[in-house]
Amino acid sequence: MPFEFLSDEQVARYGRFPEEPSASELEQFFRLDRAALDALADKRRPATRLGWAVQRATVRMLGVFLTEDPLAVPSGAVAFVAEQLDLDPACFADYGQRPKTAYEHAWQIRELLGYRDFGACEQEVRQYVAARVWASVEGPRALFDRARVHLLKERILLPGITVLVRLVGEVRRAENERLHALLSGRLSQEMRAALVGLLAVPDGKRRSELERLRTPPRRASGRVMAEELRRVSEIARLGARVGRIPGRRTPPGPRRRRAG
């Protein structure tokens, strides 16, 4: 199944443990607080106690419950939790003996921590991604990571990876089309003709006028500065004014170079 714009690393780490958590991740997600210890008070079997605690840590770090394969957790993470409960990490292997237990624990943890289904929050996620698209020049990979982190932060359970890929792609296309429509709607017929004319490559030249005007200089000198001022004057004479467009969505001007 294709994942369009995602890297192999993004696919590998989505909703799963690609490797052992770092020391900081263990402290952040696998450290048991008083609420977790209180919730464990009614659980007697070592495997049940350890499995519940590991599931709690898993959803906090990954944004999903590993109910289909609750044992798919790095051994170092299991040992970190087991030490806090004064249990033998080996008992974790017994947690999957009764498959229904993992699902029951997932519901308990979900209620305890306030996790929400993606389906009930999809519009919220779309609005977040749309705001990122409108205010930045982030590509689809960065937007996907932003969306995933937002879901984790807001305690929204991650959907299937293809669902989030599709959402990011759809929202990005829609917002870019909205931007293009906004810009196009503000152009007069004369301006449209002038901009179309910039696409033509003059006789004897190797690039279009648009490419020439949008290409910044490669070195700094007095002569180059004079040429740049002429280039800016040419752009200004076009008379295009976008207005209400975030600065990050408009092409950057020439870069300033440090002296020396």
Side-chain angles (χ1 to χ4, degrees), residues 10-59:
Q10 286 176 304
V11 174
R13 71 169 184 247
Y14 187 83
R16 70 185 81 174
F17 293 102
E19 57 188 17
E20 289 280 354
S22 65
S24 61
E25 288 172 333
L26 289 175
E27 286 294 335
Q28 181 179 359
F29 302 111
F30 288 80
R31 176 66 66 184
L32 301 176
D33 57 16
R34 175 48 55 188
L37 295 173
D38 289 345
L40 284 167
D42 63 346
K43 295 170 177 53
R44 300 288 179 257
R45 294 180 64 247
T48 301
R49 289 170 58 80
L50 183 55
W52 187 96
V54 169
Q55 278 230 64
R56 172 186 176 274
T58 296
V59 73

Side-chain angles (χ1 to χ4, degrees), residues 137 242 245-253:
V137 291
V242 293
I245 303 299
R248 293 184 180 181
R249 298 306 306 274
T250 55

Side-chain angles (χ1 to χ4, degrees), residues 184-193:
S184 178
R186 295 184 177 183
L187 298 178
S188 65
Q189 291 297 328
E190 294 77 8
M191 179 58 64
R192 290 173 189 269

Side-chain angles (χ1 to χ4, degrees), residues 146-201:
R146 290 274 192 182
R148 184 179 63 84
V149 171
H150 177 76
L151 291 169
L152 292 174
K153 180 180 178 182
E154 297 300 321
R155 298 193 177 186
I156 301 171
L157 295 173
L158 267 61
I161 187 170
T162 55
V163 173
L164 193 57
V165 165
R166 189 180 306 113
L167 182 148
V168 169
E170 290 175 354
V171 173
R172 185 168 180 266
R173 283 191 295 271
E175 289 304 304
N176 283 332
E177 288 173 2
R178 183 163 76 95
L179 174 63
H180 296 158
L182 176 61
L183 293 174
S184 178
R186 295 184 177 183
L187 298 178
S188 65
Q189 291 297 328
E190 294 77 8
M191 179 58 64
R192 290 173 189 269
L195 293 178
V196 170
L198 294 178
L199 300 177
V201 178

Side-chain angles (χ1 to χ4, degrees), residues 177-234:
E177 288 173 2
R178 183 163 76 95
L179 174 63
H180 296 158
L182 176 61
L183 293 174
S184 178
R186 295 184 177 183
L187 298 178
S188 65
Q189 291 297 328
E190 294 77 8
M191 179 58 64
R192 290 173 189 269
L195 293 178
V196 170
L198 294 178
L199 300 177
V201 178
D203 293 338
K205 302 292 185 180
R206 301 181 60 182
R207 58 180 180 173
S208 68
E209 285 296 283
L210 176 62
E211 190 64 23
R212 180 181 66 82
L213 292 175
R214 70 195 297 268
T215 303
R218 296 183 178 180
R219 62 176 183 270
S221 69
R223 183 179 64 81
V224 170
M225 180 62 71
E227 292 177 354
E228 281 302 289
L229 290 174
R230 286 193 292 272
R231 185 170 72 99
V232 171
S233 296
E234 287 184 65

Side-chain angles (χ1 to χ4, degrees), residues 72-112:
V73 181
S75 58
V78 175
F80 183 83
V81 177
E83 182 180 9
Q84 297 174 66
L85 297 174
D86 195 23
L87 295 173
D88 182 355
C91 73
F92 186 62
D94 297 330
Y95 184 58
Q97 289 184 348
R98 180 175 176 267
K100 189 176 179 181
T101 299
Y103 288 92
E104 292 173 346
H105 287 178
W107 277 103
Q108 293 171 8
I109 296 166
R110 171 178 165 162
E111 292 297 320
L112 177 66

